[in-house]
Amino acid sequence: TLFSVLGLALCGTLALTSCGSSSNTANDGIITTYNTEPENPLIPGNTTEVGGGDPIDVMFSGLISYSSAGEPVNEVADAIETTDNQNFTVKLKDWKWSDGTDLVAEDFVNTWNFTANLKNGQLCSSFFDQIKGFDAVAPQDDAAVDALTGQETMEGLKVIDDKTFTIELSAPSSTFELRLGMSAFYPVPHDKLSDINAFGENPVSNGPFKLSAWNHNVDLELVPNENYKGDRVAKNKGVTFKFYTDPDAGYTAVQSGDLDIMDTVPNSHITDFKTDDSLVGRSDPSSLFEMFSIPEYIKHFGNDEEGKLRRQAISMAIDRQTAIDKILNGTAKAATSFSAVTDQINGSTDDVEGNDVLKYNPEKAKELWAQADQISKWEDTDVFKISFNADGGAQQMYEAICNSIANTLGIDAQPDSVVDFKTLRQSANAKTLQYAIRDGWQPDYPSIENYLQPMVASNGSSNDSDYSSPEVDKLLQEGSQATSLDEANKYFTQAQAVLMKDLPYIPVYSRNVNSVIGKNVQNYALTWKGVPDYVNISK
């Protein structure tokens, strides 16, 4: 959610103006919520956006889950034992899939090997990079990737028996256990991996909910999983994710009682949603983060001196605070780092060297732009565009950002509307973007590492800018191999200092979750990652 997903409720949220009839009565006990059509089939290891990530997070269970405060709690794991943070023995609880079959250690091990293996084309491969033998399934050389069969496995994973398996990392890691609750590490029944896309259209699951129906481009219906025996037992009769392309239509549906929850608010209601008597409006600080990435493969923005100067100039040309005040009614915080800064994210900090580059400074921006022009002239015919998904309610914000850039630098800067989030993500994943791209991040596990590794590590799962820095890669690796989380966070903060110079993406703001909720909804709360707590919400 991405699962890093991702994507994020910001980038992808919103989904369809006419999703068919929505006969939603106050007493049916089914929660209806606003979302987007998933980009891919419902495969945990191939999902990096919230359209698929939100349902997957309540359909599947990993070895651990996270409390509302972001603390890891054993779920499918009965115990995860280690004495050195490098060698782990995992013992599983008695657990069943939603079809009644037993969940076994082979489900975890085979799924992880399948997801990590680049031949299988799963977006979350890079999250397994700490496991010994990862290089054998994810080589850096293109020819070596072509030579893979998809059946290769990582040396560091071994099944001991149906309820036990071991993990050996290539080096000790203080952050590895924190990763184990993210969706990339959810299991799939090992006998379903041979036709993973068919599985993703109608998945068997092991979490609080199971799939009832997926009506493409209309809705996705989940019902409680009667075989789930964990602590996240559903307090409702199901959750239906309804797909909208127009956030105003979603808001109207909440007003009329046809939709229970919308965890975003269209700009047309940003000033009045908390006083609207037809619903309940809330604004809660969260770990959600908004940015835009500038691919290094587009003209003038390579990983060279010109590209760095232009990125810095663009960042300092943006009047973030004015845009937040006027468009979001103050329900966000201007970025000071490469993550949301919140107690729920271990290692997040405002104190990052070089973060003045994120402050509005028109004169400095013009100076840097002029320096870049000395290297390669920005012609009058050149245009800077930021692509955004039309179904995400972001048009006004990106118009404001582009106007600020244009007015400061004296260049042609324009927002570029793309029909929907799915289409935008397909271009990003195929590395065929023509312009900068709106991005947003909803963390997968509660560590600053998760804002960095997928987005800026070489071959990171959500590295839309195609950025590669040996220095940043080394700092991220040293952080993951540190002996404690405090020590790890020192390296991650150093990595951010390098990123302040390179700016592969431009941080914009961390945002509140603005929610509108039907009056008959009870126990509405957000999880640590800023998503409605679908398990505990009731009517």
Side-chain angles (χ1 to χ4, degrees), residues 21-104:
S21 166
S22 105
S23 56
N24 180 28
T25 65
N27 297 316
D28 63 6
I30 295 173
I31 304 299
T32 56
T33 187
Y34 182 77
N35 206 17
T36 183
E37 170 78 11
E39 178 189 0
N40 298 314
L42 297 173
I43 305 164
N46 200 38
T47 300
T48 58
E49 43 77 44
V50 293
D54 283 357
I56 280 173
D57 275 342
V58 292
M59 292 173 64
F60 289 85
S61 292
L63 294 176
I64 66 171
S65 58
Y66 305 106
S67 71
S68 59
E71 297 294 329
V73 179
N74 281 356
E75 189 164 18
V76 181
D78 188 47
I80 303 173
E81 301 168 348
T82 184
T83 58
D84 58 5
N85 281 337
Q86 183 171 4
N87 296 278
F88 300 82
T89 298
V90 178
K91 298 179 180 179
L92 304 179
K93 297 173 183 174
D94 291 331
W95 207 272
K96 291 186 180 295
W97 291 99
S98 56
D99 64 359
T101 57
D102 290 336
L103 187 153
V104 294

Coordinates of all heavy atoms in Angstrom, one line a residue, residues 21-104:
S21 N -26.0 0.5 -9.1 CA -26.9 0.7 -8.0 C -26.2 0.4 -6.7 O -25.4 -0.4 -6.6 CB -28.1 -0.2 -8.1 OG -28.8 -0.3 -6.9
S22 N -26.5 1.2 -5.6 CA -25.8 1.0 -4.4 C -26.9 0.9 -3.3 O -27.0 1.8 -2.5 CB -24.8 2.0 -4.1 OG -25.1 2.9 -3.3
S23 N -27.6 -0.2 -3.3 CA -28.7 -0.4 -2.3 C -28.0 -0.6 -1.0 O -27.7 -1.8 -0.6 CB -29.6 -1.5 -2.7 OG -28.8 -2.7 -2.8
N24 N -27.8 0.4 -0.2 CA -27.0 0.3 1.1 C -28.0 0.7 2.2 O -28.3 1.8 2.3 CB -25.8 1.2 1.0 CG -25.0 1.2 2.2 OD1 -25.0 0.2 2.9 ND2 -24.4 2.3 2.5
T25 N -28.4 -0.2 3.0 CA -29.3 0.1 4.1 C -28.5 0.2 5.3 O -27.5 -0.4 5.5 CB -30.4 -1.0 4.2 OG1 -29.8 -2.2 4.6 CG2 -31.1 -1.2 2.9
A26 N -29.2 0.9 6.3 CA -28.5 1.1 7.6 C -28.2 -0.1 8.4 O -27.3 -0.2 9.2 CB -29.3 2.1 8.4
N27 N -28.9 -1.2 8.1 CA -28.8 -2.4 9.0 C -28.2 -3.6 8.3 O -28.2 -4.7 8.9 CB -30.2 -2.7 9.5 CG -30.8 -1.6 10.4 OD1 -30.1 -1.1 11.2 ND2 -32.1 -1.3 10.2
D28 N -27.7 -3.4 7.1 CA -27.2 -4.6 6.4 C -25.8 -5.0 7.0 O -25.4 -6.1 6.7 CB -27.1 -4.4 4.9 CG -26.2 -3.3 4.4 OD1 -25.5 -2.8 5.3 OD2 -26.2 -3.0 3.2
G29 N -25.2 -4.1 7.7 CA -23.9 -4.5 8.3 C -22.7 -4.5 7.4 O -21.6 -4.8 7.9
I30 N -22.9 -4.2 6.1 CA -21.8 -4.2 5.2 C -21.3 -2.8 5.0 O -22.1 -1.8 4.8 CB -22.2 -4.8 3.8 CG1 -22.6 -6.2 4.0 CG2 -21.1 -4.6 2.8 CD1 -23.2 -6.9 2.7
I31 N -20.0 -2.6 5.2 CA -19.4 -1.2 5.0 C -19.1 -1.0 3.6 O -18.4 -1.8 3.0 CB -18.1 -1.1 5.9 CG1 -18.4 -1.5 7.4 CG2 -17.5 0.3 5.8 CD1 -19.4 -0.6 8.0
T32 N -19.5 0.1 3.0 CA -19.2 0.5 1.7 C -18.2 1.6 1.7 O -18.3 2.6 2.5 CB -20.4 0.9 0.8 OG1 -21.1 2.0 1.5 CG2 -21.3 -0.3 0.7
T33 N -17.1 1.5 0.9 CA -16.0 2.5 1.0 C -15.5 2.9 -0.4 O -15.7 2.1 -1.3 CB -14.9 2.0 1.9 OG1 -13.9 3.0 2.1 CG2 -14.2 0.8 1.2
Y34 N -15.0 4.1 -0.5 CA -14.5 4.7 -1.7 C -13.1 4.2 -2.1 O -12.2 4.2 -1.2 CB -14.5 6.2 -1.5 CG -14.2 7.1 -2.6 CD1 -15.1 7.3 -3.6 CD2 -12.9 7.7 -2.7 CE1 -14.7 8.2 -4.6 CE2 -12.6 8.6 -3.7 CZ -13.5 8.8 -4.7 OH -13.2 9.7 -5.7
N35 N -12.9 3.7 -3.3 CA -11.6 3.2 -3.7 C -11.5 3.3 -5.2 O -12.3 3.9 -5.9 CB -11.4 1.8 -3.2 CG -9.9 1.5 -3.0 OD1 -9.1 2.4 -2.9 ND2 -9.6 0.3 -2.8
T36 N -10.4 2.7 -5.7 CA -10.1 2.6 -7.2 C -10.0 1.2 -7.7 O -9.7 0.3 -6.9 CB -8.9 3.4 -7.5 OG1 -8.7 3.4 -8.9 CG2 -7.7 2.8 -6.9
E37 N -10.3 1.0 -8.9 CA -10.1 -0.3 -9.5 C -8.6 -0.7 -9.4 O -7.7 0.0 -9.7 CB -10.5 -0.3 -11.0 CG -10.1 -1.5 -11.8 CD -11.0 -2.7 -11.6 OE1 -12.1 -2.5 -11.0 OE2 -10.7 -3.8 -12.1
P38 N -8.3 -1.9 -8.8 CA -6.9 -2.4 -8.7 C -6.2 -2.4 -10.0 O -6.8 -2.7 -11.1 CB -7.1 -3.8 -8.1 CG -8.4 -3.7 -7.3 CD -9.3 -2.9 -8.2
E39 N -4.9 -2.0 -10.0 CA -4.1 -2.0 -11.2 C -3.9 -3.4 -11.7 O -4.0 -3.6 -13.0 CB -2.8 -1.4 -10.9 CG -1.8 -1.4 -12.1 CD -0.4 -0.9 -11.7 OE1 -0.2 -0.6 -10.5 OE2 0.4 -0.9 -12.6
N40 N -3.7 -4.4 -10.8 CA -3.4 -5.8 -11.2 C -4.4 -6.7 -10.5 O -5.1 -6.3 -9.6 CB -2.0 -6.1 -10.8 CG -1.0 -5.2 -11.5 OD1 -1.1 -5.0 -12.7 ND2 0.0 -4.7 -10.8
P41 N -4.3 -8.0 -10.9 CA -5.0 -9.0 -10.0 C -4.6 -8.9 -8.6 O -3.5 -8.4 -8.3 CB -4.6 -10.3 -10.7 CG -4.3 -10.0 -12.1 CD -3.7 -8.6 -12.1
L42 N -5.4 -9.5 -7.7 CA -5.1 -9.3 -6.2 C -4.0 -10.3 -5.8 O -4.3 -11.3 -5.1 CB -6.4 -9.5 -5.5 CG -7.5 -8.5 -5.8 CD1 -8.8 -8.9 -5.1 CD2 -7.1 -7.1 -5.4
I43 N -2.8 -9.9 -6.1 CA -1.6 -10.7 -5.8 C -0.8 -9.9 -4.8 O -0.3 -8.8 -5.2 CB -0.8 -11.1 -7.0 CG1 -1.7 -11.8 -8.0 CG2 0.4 -11.9 -6.7 CD1 -1.1 -11.8 -9.4
P44 N -0.6 -10.3 -3.6 CA 0.2 -9.4 -2.6 C 1.5 -9.0 -3.2 O 1.9 -7.8 -3.0 CB 0.3 -10.3 -1.4 CG -0.9 -11.2 -1.5 CD -1.1 -11.5 -2.9
G45 N 2.3 -9.9 -3.8 CA 3.6 -9.6 -4.2 C 3.7 -8.7 -5.5 O 4.8 -8.4 -6.0
N46 N 2.5 -8.4 -6.1 CA 2.5 -7.7 -7.3 C 1.6 -6.4 -7.2 O 1.1 -5.9 -8.2 CB 2.1 -8.5 -8.5 CG 2.5 -8.0 -9.9 OD1 3.6 -7.4 -10.0 ND2 1.6 -8.1 -10.9
T47 N 1.5 -5.9 -6.0 CA 0.6 -4.8 -5.8 C 1.4 -3.7 -5.1 O 1.9 -3.9 -4.0 CB -0.6 -5.2 -4.9 OG1 -1.3 -6.3 -5.6 CG2 -1.5 -4.1 -4.6
T48 N 1.4 -2.5 -5.7 CA 2.1 -1.4 -5.1 C 1.2 -0.1 -5.1 O 1.7 1.0 -5.1 CB 3.4 -1.1 -6.0 OG1 3.0 -0.8 -7.3 CG2 4.3 -2.3 -5.9
E49 N -0.1 -0.3 -5.1 CA -1.0 0.9 -5.1 C -2.2 0.5 -4.2 O -2.5 -0.7 -4.0 CB -1.4 1.3 -6.5 CG -1.7 0.2 -7.5 CD -3.1 -0.4 -7.2 OE1 -4.1 0.4 -7.0 OE2 -3.2 -1.6 -7.3
V50 N -2.9 1.5 -3.8 CA -4.0 1.3 -2.8 C -5.2 0.6 -3.3 O -6.0 0.0 -2.6 CB -4.4 2.5 -2.0 CG1 -3.2 3.0 -1.1 CG2 -4.8 3.6 -3.0
G51 N -5.5 0.8 -4.7 CA -6.6 0.1 -5.2 C -6.7 -1.3 -4.9 O -7.7 -1.9 -4.6
G52 N -5.5 -2.0 -5.1 CA -5.4 -3.4 -4.7 C -4.9 -3.6 -3.3 O -5.3 -4.5 -2.6
G53 N -4.1 -2.6 -2.8 CA -3.4 -2.8 -1.5 C -4.4 -2.8 -0.3 O -4.2 -3.6 0.6
D54 N -5.4 -1.9 -0.4 CA -6.3 -1.8 0.8 C -7.1 -3.1 0.9 O -7.2 -3.6 2.1 CB -7.2 -0.6 0.6 CG -6.6 0.7 0.9 OD1 -5.4 0.7 1.4 OD2 -7.2 1.8 0.8
P55 N -7.7 -3.7 -0.1 CA -8.4 -4.9 0.1 C -7.4 -6.1 0.4 O -7.8 -6.9 1.3 CB -9.1 -5.2 -1.2 CG -8.6 -4.2 -2.2 CD -8.0 -3.1 -1.4
I56 N -6.3 -6.1 -0.2 CA -5.3 -7.2 0.1 C -4.9 -7.2 1.6 O -4.8 -8.2 2.2 CB -4.1 -7.0 -0.8 CG1 -4.4 -7.7 -2.2 CG2 -2.8 -7.7 -0.2 CD1 -3.3 -7.4 -3.2
D57 N -4.8 -6.0 2.2 CA -4.4 -5.9 3.6 C -5.4 -6.5 4.6 O -5.0 -6.8 5.7 CB -4.1 -4.4 4.0 CG -2.7 -4.0 3.6 OD1 -1.8 -4.9 3.4 OD2 -2.4 -2.8 3.6
V58 N -6.6 -6.6 4.2 CA -7.6 -7.2 5.1 C -8.1 -8.6 4.6 O -8.8 -9.3 5.3 CB -8.9 -6.3 5.2 CG1 -8.5 -5.0 6.0 CG2 -9.5 -5.9 3.9
M59 N -7.6 -9.0 3.4 CA -7.8 -10.3 2.9 C -6.7 -11.3 3.4 O -7.0 -12.5 3.5 CB -7.9 -10.3 1.4 CG -9.1 -9.6 0.8 SD -9.1 -9.5 -1.0 CE -9.1 -11.3 -1.4
F60 N -5.5 -10.8 3.6 CA -4.4 -11.6 3.9 C -3.8 -11.3 5.2 O -3.9 -10.2 5.7 CB -3.3 -11.5 2.8 CG -3.7 -12.1 1.5 CD1 -4.5 -11.3 0.5 CD2 -3.3 -13.4 1.1 CE1 -4.8 -11.9 -0.7 CE2 -3.7 -13.9 -0.1 CZ -4.4 -13.2 -1.0
S61 N -3.1 -12.3 5.8 CA -2.4 -12.1 7.0 C -0.9 -12.6 6.8 O -0.7 -13.6 6.2 CB -3.0 -12.9 8.2 OG -4.2 -12.4 8.5
G62 N 0.0 -11.8 7.4 CA 1.4 -12.2 7.3 C 1.9 -12.8 8.6 O 1.1 -13.1 9.5
L63 N 3.2 -13.0 8.7 CA 3.7 -13.5 10.0 C 3.4 -12.6 11.1 O 3.1 -13.1 12.2 CB 5.2 -13.7 9.8 CG 5.7 -14.7 8.8 CD1 7.2 -14.7 8.7 CD2 5.2 -16.1 9.2
I64 N 3.4 -11.3 10.9 CA 3.1 -10.3 11.9 C 2.1 -9.3 11.3 O 1.9 -9.3 10.1 CB 4.3 -9.5 12.4 CG1 4.9 -8.6 11.3 CG2 5.4 -10.4 13.0 CD1 6.0 -7.7 11.8
S65 N 1.4 -8.6 12.2 CA 0.6 -7.5 11.8 C 1.1 -6.3 12.7 O 2.0 -6.4 13.4 CB -0.9 -7.7 12.0 OG -1.2 -8.1 13.4
Y66 N 0.5 -5.2 12.5 CA 0.9 -4.0 13.3 C -0.3 -3.4 14.1 O -1.4 -3.4 13.6 CB 1.4 -2.9 12.3 CG 2.5 -3.3 11.4 CD1 2.2 -3.6 10.0 CD2 3.8 -3.5 11.8 CE1 3.2 -4.0 9.2 CE2 4.8 -4.0 11.0 CZ 4.5 -4.2 9.7 OH 5.5 -4.6 8.8
S67 N 0.0 -3.0 15.3 CA -1.0 -2.4 16.2 C -1.3 -1.0 15.6 O -0.7 -0.5 14.7 CB -0.4 -2.3 17.6 OG 0.6 -1.3 17.7
S68 N -2.3 -0.4 16.2 CA -2.7 1.0 15.8 C -1.5 2.0 16.0 O -1.5 3.0 15.3 CB -3.9 1.5 16.6 OG -3.6 1.5 17.9
A69 N -0.6 1.7 16.9 CA 0.6 2.5 17.1 C 1.8 2.2 16.2 O 2.8 2.8 16.3 CB 1.0 2.5 18.5
G70 N 1.6 1.1 15.3 CA 2.6 0.7 14.5 C 3.6 -0.3 15.1 O 4.7 -0.5 14.5
E71 N 3.2 -0.9 16.2 CA 4.1 -1.9 16.8 C 3.8 -3.3 16.2 O 2.7 -3.7 16.0 CB 3.8 -1.9 18.3 CG 4.1 -0.6 19.1 CD 5.6 -0.3 19.0 OE1 6.4 -1.3 19.0 OE2 6.0 0.9 19.0
P72 N 4.9 -4.1 15.9 CA 4.7 -5.4 15.4 C 4.1 -6.4 16.4 O 4.4 -6.4 17.6 CB 6.1 -5.8 15.0 CG 7.0 -5.0 15.9 CD 6.3 -3.7 16.1
V73 N 3.1 -7.2 15.9 CA 2.4 -8.2 16.7 C 2.4 -9.5 16.0 O 2.0 -9.5 14.8 CB 1.0 -7.7 17.1 CG1 0.3 -8.8 17.9 CG2 1.0 -6.4 17.8
N74 N 2.8 -10.6 16.6 CA 2.7 -11.9 15.8 C 1.3 -12.2 15.4 O 0.3 -12.0 16.1 CB 3.2 -13.0 16.7 CG 4.7 -13.1 16.8 OD1 5.4 -12.3 16.1 ND2 5.2 -14.0 17.6
E75 N 1.1 -12.6 14.1 CA -0.2 -13.0 13.7 C -0.2 -14.5 13.2 O -0.5 -15.4 14.0 CB -0.7 -12.1 12.5 CG -2.2 -12.4 12.2 CD -2.9 -11.4 11.4 OE1 -2.2 -10.5 10.7 OE2 -4.1 -11.4 11.4
V76 N 0.2 -14.8 12.0 CA 0.4 -16.2 11.6 C 1.6 -16.9 12.3 O 1.6 -18.1 12.6 CB 0.5 -16.4 10.1 CG1 0.6 -17.8 9.7 CG2 -0.7 -15.7 9.4
A77 N 2.6 -16.1 12.6 CA 3.7 -16.6 13.4 C 3.4 -16.9 14.8 O 2.8 -16.0 15.5 CB 4.9 -15.6 13.3
D78 N 3.7 -18.0 15.3 CA 3.6 -18.3 16.7 C 4.9 -17.8 17.4 O 4.8 -17.3 18.6 CB 3.5 -19.8 17.0 CG 3.2 -20.2 18.4 OD1 2.3 -19.5 19.0 OD2 3.9 -21.1 18.9
A79 N 6.0 -17.8 16.7 CA 7.3 -17.3 17.2 C 8.2 -17.0 16.1 O 8.2 -17.7 15.1 CB 7.9 -18.3 18.2
I80 N 9.0 -15.9 16.2 CA 10.1 -15.6 15.3 C 11.3 -15.5 16.2 O 11.5 -14.5 16.9 CB 9.8 -14.3 14.5 CG1 8.5 -14.4 13.7 CG2 11.0 -14.0 13.5 CD1 8.1 -13.2 13.1
E81 N 12.2 -16.5 16.1 CA 13.3 -16.5 17.0 C 14.7 -16.2 16.3 O 14.9 -16.7 15.2 CB 13.4 -17.9 17.6 CG 12.2 -18.4 18.3 CD 12.1 -19.8 18.7 OE1 13.0 -20.6 18.1 OE2 11.3 -20.3 19.5
T82 N 15.5 -15.4 16.9 CA 16.8 -15.1 16.4 C 17.7 -14.7 17.6 O 17.2 -14.1 18.6 CB 16.8 -14.0 15.4 OG1 18.1 -13.8 14.9 CG2 16.3 -12.6 16.0
T83 N 19.0 -14.9 17.5 CA 20.0 -14.5 18.5 C 20.9 -13.5 17.9 O 21.7 -12.9 18.6 CB 20.8 -15.7 19.0 OG1 21.4 -16.4 18.0 CG2 19.8 -16.6 19.8
D84 N 20.9 -13.3 16.5 CA 21.9 -12.5 15.9 C 21.3 -11.6 14.8 O 22.1 -10.9 14.1 CB 23.0 -13.4 15.2 CG 22.4 -14.4 14.2 OD1 21.2 -14.3 13.9 OD2 23.2 -15.2 13.7
N85 N 20.0 -11.5 14.6 CA 19.3 -10.7 13.6 C 19.8 -11.1 12.2 O 19.6 -10.3 11.3 CB 19.6 -9.2 13.8 CG 18.7 -8.6 14.9 OD1 17.6 -9.1 15.2 ND2 19.1 -7.5 15.5
Q86 N 20.3 -12.3 12.0 CA 20.7 -12.7 10.7 C 20.0 -14.1 10.4 O 19.6 -14.4 9.3 CB 22.2 -12.8 10.6 CG 22.6 -13.3 9.2 CD 24.1 -13.2 9.0 OE1 24.9 -12.8 9.9 NE2 24.6 -13.4 7.8
N87 N 19.9 -14.9 11.4 CA 19.3 -16.3 11.3 C 18.1 -16.3 12.1 O 18.1 -16.1 13.3 CB 20.3 -17.3 11.7 CG 21.6 -17.4 10.9 OD1 21.6 -18.0 9.8 ND2 22.6 -16.7 11.3
F88 N 17.0 -16.7 11.4 CA 15.7 -16.7 12.1 C 15.0 -18.0 11.9 O 15.1 -18.6 10.9 CB 14.7 -15.6 11.5 CG 15.3 -14.2 11.5 CD1 16.2 -13.7 10.6 CD2 14.8 -13.3 12.5 CE1 16.7 -12.4 10.7 CE2 15.3 -12.0 12.6 CZ 16.2 -11.6 11.7
T89 N 14.3 -18.5 13.0 CA 13.5 -19.6 12.9 C 12.1 -19.2 13.2 O 11.7 -18.6 14.2 CB 13.9 -20.7 14.0 OG1 15.2 -21.1 13.8 CG2 12.9 -21.9 14.0
V90 N 11.2 -19.5 12.2 CA 9.8 -19.1 12.3 C 8.9 -20.3 12.5 O 9.0 -21.3 11.8 CB 9.4 -18.5 10.9 CG1 7.9 -18.1 11.0 CG2 10.2 -17.2 10.6
K91 N 8.1 -20.2 13.6 CA 7.2 -21.3 13.9 C 5.8 -20.7 13.7 O 5.4 -19.7 14.2 CB 7.4 -21.7 15.3 CG 8.8 -22.3 15.5 CD 9.0 -22.8 17.0 CE 10.4 -23.4 17.1 NZ 10.7 -23.8 18.5
L92 N 4.9 -21.5 13.0 CA 3.6 -21.0 12.6 C 2.5 -21.5 13.5 O 2.6 -22.6 14.1 CB 3.3 -21.5 11.2 CG 4.2 -21.1 10.1 CD1 3.8 -21.6 8.7 CD2 4.4 -19.6 10.0
K93 N 1.5 -20.7 13.7 CA 0.3 -21.2 14.4 C -0.5 -22.1 13.5 O -0.3 -22.2 12.3 CB -0.6 -20.0 14.8 CG 0.0 -19.0 15.7 CD -0.8 -17.8 15.9 CE -0.2 -16.7 16.8 NZ -1.0 -15.5 16.8
D94 N -1.4 -22.9 14.0 CA -2.3 -23.7 13.2 C -3.2 -22.6 12.5 O -3.9 -21.8 13.1 CB -3.2 -24.6 14.1 CG -2.4 -25.7 14.7 OD1 -1.4 -26.1 14.1 OD2 -2.8 -26.2 15.8
W95 N -3.3 -22.7 11.2 CA -3.9 -21.7 10.4 C -4.5 -22.3 9.1 O -3.9 -23.2 8.6 CB -2.9 -20.6 10.0 CG -3.5 -19.2 9.8 CD1 -4.0 -18.7 8.6 CD2 -3.5 -18.2 10.8 NE1 -4.4 -17.4 8.8 CE2 -4.1 -17.0 10.1 CE3 -3.2 -18.1 12.1 CZ2 -4.4 -15.8 10.8 CZ3 -3.4 -16.9 12.8 CH2 -4.0 -15.8 12.1
K96 N -5.6 -21.8 8.7 CA -6.2 -22.3 7.5 C -6.5 -21.2 6.4 O -6.6 -20.0 6.8 CB -7.6 -22.9 7.8 CG -7.5 -24.2 8.6 CD -8.8 -24.9 8.8 CE -8.7 -26.2 9.6 NZ -7.9 -27.2 8.8
W97 N -6.5 -21.6 5.2 CA -6.9 -20.7 4.1 C -8.4 -20.6 4.1 O -9.1 -21.5 4.7 CB -6.4 -21.2 2.8 CG -4.9 -21.1 2.6 CD1 -4.0 -22.1 2.8 CD2 -4.2 -19.9 2.3 NE1 -2.7 -21.6 2.7 CE2 -2.8 -20.3 2.4 CE3 -4.5 -18.6 2.0 CZ2 -1.8 -19.4 2.1 CZ3 -3.6 -17.7 1.8 CH2 -2.2 -18.1 1.8
S98 N -9.0 -19.7 3.4 CA -10.4 -19.5 3.4 C -11.2 -20.6 2.8 O -12.4 -20.8 3.0 CB -10.8 -18.1 2.7 OG -10.3 -18.1 1.4
D99 N -10.5 -21.5 2.0 CA -11.2 -22.7 1.4 C -11.1 -23.9 2.4 O -11.5 -25.0 2.0 CB -10.6 -23.0 0.1 CG -9.1 -23.4 0.1 OD1 -8.5 -23.4 1.2 OD2 -8.5 -23.7 -1.0
G100 N -10.5 -23.7 3.6 CA -10.5 -24.7 4.6 C -9.2 -25.5 4.6 O -9.0 -26.4 5.5
T101 N -8.3 -25.4 3.6 CA -7.1 -26.1 3.6 C -6.1 -25.5 4.5 O -6.1 -24.3 4.9 CB -6.4 -26.1 2.1 OG1 -6.2 -24.8 1.7 CG2 -7.4 -26.8 1.2
D102 N -5.1 -26.3 5.0 CA -4.1 -25.9 6.0 C -3.1 -25.0 5.4 O -2.6 -25.2 4.2 CB -3.4 -27.1 6.6 CG -4.3 -27.9 7.5 OD1 -5.3 -27.3 8.0 OD2 -4.1 -29.1 7.7
L103 N -2.7 -23.9 6.1 CA -1.6 -23.1 5.7 C -0.3 -23.7 6.2 O -0.2 -24.1 7.4 CB -1.8 -21.7 6.2 CG -0.8 -20.6 5.7 CD1 -1.4 -19.2 5.8 CD2 0.5 -20.6 6.6
V104 N 0.7 -23.9 5.4 CA 1.9 -24.6 5.8 C 3.1 -23.7 5.5 O 3.0 -22.7 4.7 CB 2.1 -25.9 5.0 CG1 1.0 -26.9 5.5 CG2 2.0 -25.7 3.5

